[in-house]
Amino acid sequence: MQNHEKSEKFRQIVENKFQIYNSLFMSLPYDKMSNIGMLLPFLYEESKAGYEKGKTPEEIVEEFFASHTSLESEEQKTELLFKIIQYIERQVVLFDSIEDASFAELHPAGESGTLLNLYDRAVQQDLLAAVREKMKDFGVRVVFTAHPTQFYPSSVQRILHDLRSAIMKDSVTEIDMLLQQLGKTPFLNREKPTPFDEALSIIFYLRYVYYDSLGELYGQIKYRFADKDFTPPHDILQLGFWPGGDRDGNPFVTAETTLKVADELYSSVLKSYYEHLKKLRRRLSFSGVSELLAALSDELYDAIFREQTITSDQILETVSEAQQILLQKHNGLFKDLLDDFEDRVKIFGTHFATLDIRQDSRVHQSVIDEIINKKSVMEFENISTEEKLQWLLETDTVLDPEDFEDVTRDTLRNIQNIRAIQKKNGQRGLSRYIISNSDQIKDVLNVFGLFRLCGYSEDEINIDIVPLFETMEGLDAGEDVMRQLYALPVYRKHLERRGNQQTIMLGFSDGTKDGGYLKANWEIYETKEQLTKAADEKGIRVIFFDGRGGPPARGGGKTHDFYASQGKTIANNKIEITIQGQTITSVFGNKDQAKFNFEQLLTAGIENDVFKNTKKDLTEAERKLIEELAEISFEKYSQLKAHPMFVPYLQEMSTLEYYGKTNIGSRPTKRAGSSELKFEDLRAIPFVGSWSQLKQNVPGFFGFGFSVNELKKQGRFDEVKALYKGSDFFKTLVLNSMMSMNKSYFPLTYYMKNNEKFGDFWTVIFDEYTLSRDLMLELSGFRMLMEEEPLSRKSVKIREKIVLPLLSIQQFALMKIQKGEGNRDVYEKLVMRSLFGNINASRNSA
């Protein structure tokens, strides 16, 4: 579809439906909320007109009260604001559901990045054999992290799921009933979710979205690309899982949690097989086959509810026997249905999604130090890092976790438990250990040593040890660390046992927080090149695992374009990414979306190797130009970070400190435990999310416009234009930055330019936004931001309209808190409630 057609289609099937179904809200059974639907447009209009005139949120909200209500007391006014927030939260859910239900119509099967498009191109260019060859050892793994920025309780998630289905059927009666249910269903968790609760909320998607979407997608891959000599490998589509294993992301995760989550993944996939088998048995009712499947169904039931165990090999053995009988005695009738079931067992095993362990390198070091100190291995005060490592790699000591306390005991218990998890869930159930904040060789070897201290012989360490390079220092050190590891005989032997394959994780979030948008993206690109070269020289197959959040500031945005733009200098063995928060529901939240976005990742990786595109490989001149822009941008961003008002501005004027007060379980505002807030301790999610709540999105553009302008002042703008036209990588960076700017709305905070303390700082940010926006438009030739993405642009526009009153309420409450006026507790609750709604509406704000 052309852009105009897409816009018109969106208007018809999304905007119009939203207007129609939104009218049903007027009759919803809210407690004391009958007139909210009529009042809300007034608050929107007061906000829109007021901000353009430079009014403060406080002035706007107070004028709304004076002009459109008869409320006088603070209690009455804040009660009304809470009701408005509740109303807007449900509007957001309705719009989400309508947009998601329209996904298939808005994204036809043959458009760019789809399997059909890949197949057609391969046939036209006589490259089908090359695509099959690439598929033999290529795969995509999407790794679900905890839900730190998704605030819908499981009850609301289920309504959302049903609402999408009702909208797809245009069932007004069913929609009306579900909206009534929404009106009565609380949108807040009464208590902070446990790590296990977080895991359950994502396992819901495994069972009710991914079991079918990945199964069906694999069937399509097989249909398009299989022939008599080639069957696509089942691990071409993989799922990963962090809730319950990620200690760095959630400090409340314990060894017991990890075991419990592994058990839940095991029983959940068996429940999916059991349900699938029920449907299968309705068709395969033939003699010999039905008895086998009935017995298998009983075995699955016993494994789920009676603590029996069953392996994927056992399931596949029964399926194979049934297939033979079907072919020999029943003309192969419905064999395709049985083959589909077999494919899913091969995809999901008894693990469903691979559970990863993650912990911070500094925690490991403290554990090692405690062990060495307690065991009186040597004079602790005088021992060097090298001596600690030597002892770790050579000692035959086996520890009992119960001899220790707290984090040391839990770390040792957790490593010991891996054996039990792998036995029950299979080797794929838990196969890697990720180390956050890696920047030295000891960070990897400490983990290797911990396995030995837990009784593993070197031959038994059947786990990939994965360094996560995420800070600027970590990225800079990455190549040197890996070269040292590859040269170390004990580690090289470990890699040989792991198939000479090394996974390396790279974090976009902390890189962007430290270095700014352009510098971080270029640093990661160069680091990948260096790590690729280092691995190739040693005959190691390197796999890059990208820690990507939702927004461009955290590595999100146009993922297909991002991966399709990487040239031959970067290893392309697999694509592995994290998804989290609203990105799970907004990008992979239903079958159509999940299939489409898995396709986008899969085809991007295949296209990179199979189809020739000179725009992917950077010339030496292009590299130098990007490097120059990145350095100028980094200098500008560093000046902003060094500004004495940087951290105070976030503390006092944004929602930064409210993330830690929310009932979301994981992701505290900062890593360190000190009372003083320091920039280096800030977690990336609340950092990026706070800029998003301010509608300033600084990490997604700051310094980019300044760097381009510096070259323009030197008369070199044509060079940058040529770079934009000639490099897919650079163009993707520009388009993703445009997305960040398109979600910015500076009129909301115009009032801050007059603030005695922060006015100058606000002006620095606003001036850079204006410069970046104008130069990106000039560079691209667009008349508006995201001009070539009509669907995303229109979606953002409607969402921003829905949440503008929410932002007014949030800023109004923040101003009251800053002034010390009124009931602080109530205003803090208003900030948090509006924070939830705005994040859910923005979908990839943090």
Side-chain angles (χ1 to χ4, degrees), residues 196-390:
F196 185 66
D197 293 332
E198 287 185 333
L200 288 178
S201 73
I202 300 179
I203 289 173
F204 171 84
Y205 288 98
L206 298 184
R207 285 202 64 195
Y208 298 106
V209 177
Y210 301 107
Y211 181 76
D212 283 333
S213 60
L214 262 65
E216 290 172 14
L217 182 56
Y218 180 81
Q220 290 172 20
I221 296 169
K222 194 159 76 164
Y223 172 74
R224 294 273 173 210
F225 296 99
D227 65 9
K228 61 182 177 62
D229 300 316
F230 172 72
T231 300
H234 291 85
D235 64 357
I236 198 168
L237 304 171
Q238 301 170 37
L239 299 174
F241 205 80
W242 275 16
D246 177 15
R247 283 140 180 79
D248 186 36
N250 190 331
F252 306 109
V253 170
T254 64
E256 184 185 8
T257 308
T258 306
L259 272 177
K260 196 175 174 185
V261 170
D263 284 344
E264 189 65 28
L265 286 165
Y266 172 82
S267 63
S268 292
V269 75
L270 297 189
K271 286 173 186 175
S272 291
Y273 294 153
Y274 184 80
E275 291 298 320
H276 191 163
L277 212 49
K278 262 197 218 174
K279 297 173 187 173
L280 204 54
R281 289 170 62 197
R282 291 173 67 177
R283 293 290 166 269
L284 296 172
S285 52
F286 319 133
S287 173
V289 176
S290 65
E291 292 85 352
L292 275 173
L293 298 185
L296 177 57
S297 188
D298 289 342
E299 288 173 33
L300 288 170
Y301 185 89
D302 289 343
I304 296 165
F305 299 109
R306 293 178 181 158
E307 297 190 2
Q308 303 293 316
T309 56
I310 189 169
T311 66
S312 55
D313 285 344
Q314 288 173 295
I315 299 171
L316 291 169
E317 196 176 323
T318 302
V319 171
S320 177
E321 203 176 330
Q323 286 170 326
Q324 293 304 313
I325 296 171
L326 207 56
L327 286 169
Q328 292 166 7
K329 298 184 178 179
H330 306 291
N331 301 319
L333 188 60
F334 295 130
K335 183 175 177 292
D336 58 327
L337 300 181
L338 195 54
D339 290 347
D340 174 50
F341 180 75
E342 178 188 45
D343 287 335
R344 297 195 195 197
V345 176
K346 288 180 177 178
I347 293 168
F348 299 115
T350 50
H351 65 288
F352 221 155
T354 300
L355 187 60
D356 288 340
I357 304 294
R358 184 172 78 126
Q359 181 58 285
D360 191 286
S361 62
R362 293 166 293 192
V363 174
H364 291 140
Q365 190 59 59
S366 70
V367 167
I368 297 290
D369 289 346
E370 184 183 345
I371 290 168
I372 290 175
N373 196 21
K374 186 160 186 173
K375 290 295 176 184
S376 301
V377 173
M378 52 199 88
E379 187 62 39
F380 184 73
E381 280 74 15
N382 300 322
I383 184 173
S384 67
T385 299
E386 289 72 22
E387 288 172 314
K388 290 178 188 176
L389 284 177
Q390 187 177 356

Side-chain angles (χ1 to χ4, degrees), residues 48-117:
K48 186 70 176 171
Y51 290 131
E52 297 298 340
K53 292 175 184 174
K55 290 183 179 179
T56 71
E58 189 176 17
E59 289 170 337
I60 287 167
V61 174
E62 292 293 5
E63 285 177 16
F64 163 74
F65 284 135
S67 302
H68 304 287
T69 77
S70 57
L71 305 177
E72 293 183 5
S73 72
E74 179 187 51
E75 187 179 352
Q76 289 174 322
K77 290 177 180 178
T78 53
E79 186 182 0
L80 175 62
L81 295 180
F82 277 117
K83 290 173 187 173
I84 289 173
I85 291 171
Q86 291 170 16
Y87 191 93
I88 293 171
E89 283 175 329
R90 286 153 178 83
Q91 280 192 311
V92 169
V93 169
L94 176 62
F95 185 75
D96 282 349
S97 302
I98 292 170
E99 189 173 25
D100 293 347
S102 307
F103 190 87
E105 287 186 74
L106 293 170
H107 297 85
E111 73 178 29
S112 176
T114 60
L115 278 173
L116 180 57
N117 180 266

Side-chain angles (χ1 to χ4, degrees), residues 622-678:
E622 287 172 336
R623 298 180 70 87
K624 285 180 180 176
L625 191 57
I626 295 175
E627 178 72 41
E628 189 175 355
L629 288 166
E631 287 305 318
I632 297 169
S633 172
F634 178 54
E635 188 178 329
K636 179 69 173 175
Y637 181 72
S638 296
Q639 289 171 7
L640 184 75
K641 282 199 309 179
H643 196 291
M645 290 297 108
F646 190 94
V647 173
Y649 181 78
L650 282 176
Q651 271 187 294
E652 296 179 39
M653 307 302 280
S654 84
T655 57
L656 179 71
E657 298 201 328
Y658 294 92
Y659 277 82
K661 298 177 182 180
T662 57
N663 276 350
I664 56 173
S666 60
R667 298 296 190 199
T669 302
K670 56 194 178 77
R671 271 193 170 103
S674 63
S675 56
E676 182 188 356
L677 187 63
K678 296 177 182 176

